Amino acid sequence: MKLRLLLVVTACLTAFAPLQAQEEVAAVDGPWAGKAALGYLATSGNSESSSLNTKFELGYTSGKWEYLADASAINAQESEQTTAEAYKLGFKSEYSFSEDNFLYGRMVWRKDLFSAYDQQFSQTVGYGRRLLDTMSHQLSADIGVGARQSELRDGTTENDLIARGGINYRWIITETASFSQDLTVESGDVNTYIESVSAITASLVGNLALVASYTIKNNSEVPVATESTDTYTALSIEYAF
C-alpha cells in the first residue's frame, strides 16, 4: 500500500514537473559531482510513527578513472519504538580501458539492527561493460570476485569468498523524470545476499528533485524465526551538485 501511494504521488509530480520546473538541472562542471537526499514522514492520531532516510554520494573523475563514495541511513519508529535502523557505506574505483569496458574495485559495509546479519563487509574486484548508452536508456553490468566478513545477530561470525554480479539501468522518461533500477548479488558458500533498489525521480526546481524508492534486501541463510527479506519504502527530496 505504501509503495502504491508513493508511485501515485510521484506519477502526478512527474506529469506536472514540466510546468513546475523553472530551469533544468544544471550540468556539473569540473571533476566533482554529487547528490544529497533527505526524507522524513511523521503520522499521529490513533498511532504515532515516523521515518527518516538520508543518502549522500560524491564522485570524482580524472581521465579514465572514476571514484564514487556513498553513504545512507534509514530509521523508523512506531509508538516511540524503533522498528527499522540500517546504515550503509561504500566506495568504488573504476578504470575504463575502452569506451564500453571497465575494471573496478569496490568496498561495501552494511549494518542493520533488525536484520539477521548485524553487519556485513565485502571487498570485490572485477570487470564491467556498458551494454547500452543512448539518450533515453543506459544499462551496464559487472561481475567480480572477492571476500566478505559477516557478523550475525547472535554474535557469531562468517568469512567466505564471494562472487559478485551487478546490473544498473536508467531510463530517461522525459527531461524532468527518470527511472532507475540497481540490482546487486553477492554469493558465497555460506550466504547469498541480494539487494534491489527501484527509484523514480522527478525534477522540481533547479537542482532539486523528488525521489520515490523501494529497496529489497534478502539473505538466503538466516537463523530460525528470522525473516530473510527486508523492504524499505522512501520518499525524499534530493539536491544534485
Side-chain angles (χ1 to χ4, degrees), residues 26-215:
V28 179
D29 295 324
W32 295 95
K35 55 186 178 181
L38 176 64
Y40 179 76
L41 176 65
T43 62
S44 62
N46 294 322
S47 63
E48 295 185 357
S49 65
S50 64
S51 63
L52 174 69
N53 62 280
T54 62
K55 185 176 182 180
F56 180 81
E57 291 184 2
L58 181 63
Y60 178 80
T61 302
S62 177
K64 296 182 178 181
W65 286 93
E66 293 185 10
Y67 306 91
L68 178 67
D70 65 279
S72 62
I74 297 174
N75 180 277
Q77 294 186 349
E78 187 168 351
S79 299
E80 299 184 353
Q81 296 292 322
T82 301
T83 57
E85 188 172 349
Y87 306 93
K88 179 180 179 181
L89 294 174
F91 179 78
K92 180 182 73 170
S93 60
E94 183 178 299
Y95 176 76
S96 297
F97 60 89
S98 71
E99 183 177 357
D100 297 322
N101 301 281
F102 60 90
L103 301 175
Y104 74 89
R106 182 191 303 265
M107 295 187 295
V108 180
W109 174 80
R110 297 180 291 266
K111 184 176 181 65
D112 193 330
L113 300 186
F114 289 84
S115 171
Y117 285 83
D118 178 60
Q119 58 182 336
Q120 296 171 300
F121 181 45
S122 63
Q123 315 87 40
T124 54
V125 294
Y127 160 79
R129 180 174 175 81
R130 301 175 186 91
L131 303 173
L132 187 63
D133 188 7
T134 68
M135 293 292 293
S136 299
H137 303 278
Q138 289 92 45
L139 174 65
S140 65
D142 61 77
I143 56 174
V145 295
R148 180 176 60 200
Q149 302 82 46
S150 307
E151 183 175 325
L152 280 76
R153 184 63 48 200
D154 59 10
T156 60
T157 59
E158 296 175 352
N159 299 302
D160 55 349
L161 299 177
I162 60 172
R164 183 193 183 281
I167 295 177
N168 305 101
Y169 170 71
R170 190 184 184 200
W171 173 26
I172 311 299
I173 305 172
T174 67
E175 291 182 355
T176 55
S178 65
F179 168 79
S180 63
Q181 174 65 58
D182 297 328
L183 178 65
T184 300
V185 179
E186 290 180 359
S187 183
D189 293 335
V190 180
N191 175 58
T192 296
Y193 173 80
I194 300 175
E195 179 176 307
S196 170
V197 181
S198 307
I200 297 177
T201 302
S203 298
L204 297 176
V205 177
N207 288 9
L208 289 177
L210 178 67
V211 181
S213 63
Y214 186 63
T215 302

